[in-house]
Amino acid sequence: MSSQAAAANTSLSTFAPPYIRFEPRTMAPFGDVTTWRGSAIAWRLQDASTQKAEFDWLHDRPYGLPLIILLPRPEDIGKTLPLLAHIGALQPRAVVPAGALGSPEHVKQMLASAPRNFADEITSYLVARGMLASRRLHTEVHRILELSSDVQSASALARRMYTSRRTLGRHFASEGVPVPSHWLQFGRLLHVCFQLQSDQSAMFRIAHRAKYPDGFTMSNQMKRIIGIRPSQVREMVGWEWIVESWLETEAGRRG
């Protein structure tokens, strides 16, 4: 049976490594993060009158698990309108029209793609995650992520933000969030992760582009800051699980 046919048999599917097909699933509990890390949920809209429970289940899914919504054919979309009007509450990664764009190949490519506006999307995710409580913190994190592709040190970061390293550190300490240097290194490494998922270049080439001295240093930095290795990033697509791994690593560091 083709992957498209398998997906058509159920409205809920899991899309997981090696990303060859959609695997039908039930509304069972999600379980430990290690069982779904690097996965996505595909939800095929069919009939709003029978899918309200699925909507509620998806609304309560764990952070770090992206959702791809697959729309029906145009002639069938009328049945989904009562739910379609509210899908923004599910914060889907993408809403895909019926056809080839909903194939496993295209969905994998979509999940591996870097956000069009890196700082906006990552900051918005963190806001939804409840990490950025104040407007000042929101603004400062957004700016750090904007600068993370160009800046390598906390001192240079403070200069680019027209403040002192100590003042910036106090702002973050008062909010109980990771220190600015960790946000910066996380941003740098997240850029690396996007390259690892979409580019099969040798590790040392990707490290050089990201201004690390070598692949070994980059790998150790990724393990220390985010808690994962580049080899894991290459095996899995998506960025939400990477953000969650970083947050988990930071929580362990502070705990």
Side-chain angles (χ1 to χ4, degrees), residues 45-235:
L45 283 181
Q46 296 171 332
D47 189 337
S49 66
T50 63
Q51 292 186 282
K52 175 61 167 59
E54 294 173 355
F55 180 97
D56 294 338
W57 180 77
L58 290 167
H59 187 272
D60 295 332
R61 74 188 187 278
Y63 289 108
L65 185 58
L67 171 65
I68 305 295
I69 296 180
L70 307 173
L71 296 177
R73 295 173 300 178
E75 60 268 28
D76 296 325
I77 205 163
K79 296 179 182 179
T80 69
L81 289 179
L83 282 178
L84 197 57
H86 301 284
I87 60 172
L90 299 178
Q91 299 180 331
R93 169 72 89 87
V95 180
V96 182
L101 290 179
S103 70
E105 294 79 12
H106 280 87
V107 171
K108 180 182 179 182
Q109 185 179 19
M110 186 186 311
L111 289 169
S113 299
R116 291 184 180 180
N117 192 315
F118 175 82
D120 282 357
E121 291 200 34
I122 305 304
T123 304
S124 294
Y125 178 85
L126 292 165
V127 168
R129 187 71 173 74
M131 288 295 299
L132 309 180
S134 71
R135 183 62 191 172
R136 181 179 69 185
L137 184 60
H138 179 285
T139 300
E140 290 177 337
V141 166
H142 187 275
R143 184 58 178 151
I144 290 173
L145 292 174
E146 281 185 324
L147 294 170
S148 62
S149 60
D150 300 319
V151 175
Q152 288 84 59
S153 72
S155 297
L157 174 69
R159 288 196 298 272
R160 292 285 295 272
M161 293 179 70
Y162 304 103
T163 186
S164 71
R165 184 172 177 175
R166 180 175 296 179
T167 298
L168 192 60
R170 280 202 307 267
H171 291 173
F172 282 67
S174 67
E175 299 277 0
V177 298
V179 297
S181 62
H182 284 194
W183 287 95
L184 173 62
Q185 298 309 321
F186 162 67
R188 292 184 67 202
L189 289 166
L190 195 49
H191 283 292
V192 168
C193 289
F194 291 131
Q195 291 191 53
L196 289 169
Q197 291 182 358
S198 61
D199 185 340
Q200 293 304 308
S201 296
M203 198 76 69
F204 79 90
R205 293 188 183 279
I206 291 177
H208 178 73
R209 289 179 208 150
K211 301 176 184 176
Y212 289 95
D214 51 60
F216 181 76
T217 301
M218 183 184 74
S219 179
N220 284 344
Q221 180 84 322
M222 185 175 291
K223 180 63 176 177
R224 185 177 71 84
I225 296 293
I226 304 182
I228 54 178
R229 291 285 184 185
S231 58
Q232 294 173 274
V233 176
R234 278 210 151 141
E235 291 172 357

Side-chain angles (χ1 to χ4, degrees), residues 14 25-32 35-36 41 57 60-62 65:
T14 298
R25 68 159 297 152
T26 65
M27 289 185 288
F30 288 100
D32 185 79
T35 66
W36 53 259
I41 296 293
W57 180 77
D60 295 332
R61 74 188 187 278
L65 185 58

